[in-house]
Amino acid sequence: MRKMKKWIITMAIVAITGGFGAIHIDNMNEKMNQTVTSIKSFLPFTEEKATAAPENTVPVTLNHVTDGDTLSVTFEGETKPKTVRLLLIDTPESVKPNTPVQPYAKEASNYMKELVSNKKLTLEYDAGGATDKYGRVLAYVYANGKNINEMMLKEGYARVAYVYEPNTRYLSDFKKAETEAKKNNKNIWSKQGYVTNNGFQE
């Protein structure tokens, strides 16, 4: 009987000790996770990505890409296509009447096609209204949630242009993207003197 009691007491001690050990390990794991989270909060955010699509966007279907800053789309519930002019950017001309195809125009158009083809497209309007004097829809275009206006600037296929209040929601972000592309001599910025305040010239 005494041996039995001794065995029971021994097992109880082992169980309790093991329980405390498990609790101790759990506490250590929790502290480690908290430490890692704290360290991450001090690390610089290095992932490069375009501005994410906001919630108030309008879904559209792509008909075709006109050039680097202009698209033809169809709105849900409509059948007649509409022309969309991307806000705050300008790319070299490739289809303008009586204007020779400018350097990097075709490349800009092809990159636009790559960005928007077979993607979920949505439009975001700015505060100044949705159309210009030519009847074109003025918008920020998103493909699978990425801001295409900004992507064109990041890769050096567009310059920041046609800045008219109050359509300036992403002007600061766009200027940063343009500055980075210019710094790295990407595409339009690789040709000395090509980009001017008024457009592009050879």
Side-chain angles (χ1 to χ4, degrees), residues 108-146:
S109 181
N110 289 335
Y111 185 59
M112 173 64 76
K113 291 176 184 177
E114 179 184 329
L115 290 174
V116 301
S117 296
N118 302 313
K119 304 289 192 341
K120 178 183 177 182
L121 298 185
T122 54
L123 307 182
E124 179 193 9
Y125 306 128
D126 211 327
T131 58
D132 63 10
K133 62 182 179 180
Y134 304 109
R136 300 178 300 184
V137 177
L138 300 175
Y140 304 105
V141 178
Y142 295 86
N144 288 356
K146 290 187 177 181

Side-chain angles (χ1 to χ4, degrees), residues 154 176-186 189-190:
K154 279 179 178 290
K176 288 179 182 177
E178 180 189 65
T179 298
E180 191 65 22
K182 187 176 182 179
K183 176 183 176 181
N184 292 315
N185 295 314
K186 285 189 173 182
W189 302 106
S190 66

Side-chain angles (χ1 to χ4, degrees), residues 73-111:
V73 304
T74 301
F75 286 79
E76 284 190 353
E78 299 183 9
T79 56
K80 186 177 180 181
K82 291 185 178 179
T83 300
V84 176
R85 180 64 169 79
L86 277 67
L87 280 167
L88 298 178
I89 73 168
D90 180 38
T91 61
E93 299 291 350
S94 61
V95 295
K96 187 176 181 178
N98 304 316
T99 302
V101 176
Q102 296 178 315
Y104 296 101
K106 289 295 183 182
E107 290 86 343
S109 181
N110 289 335
Y111 185 59

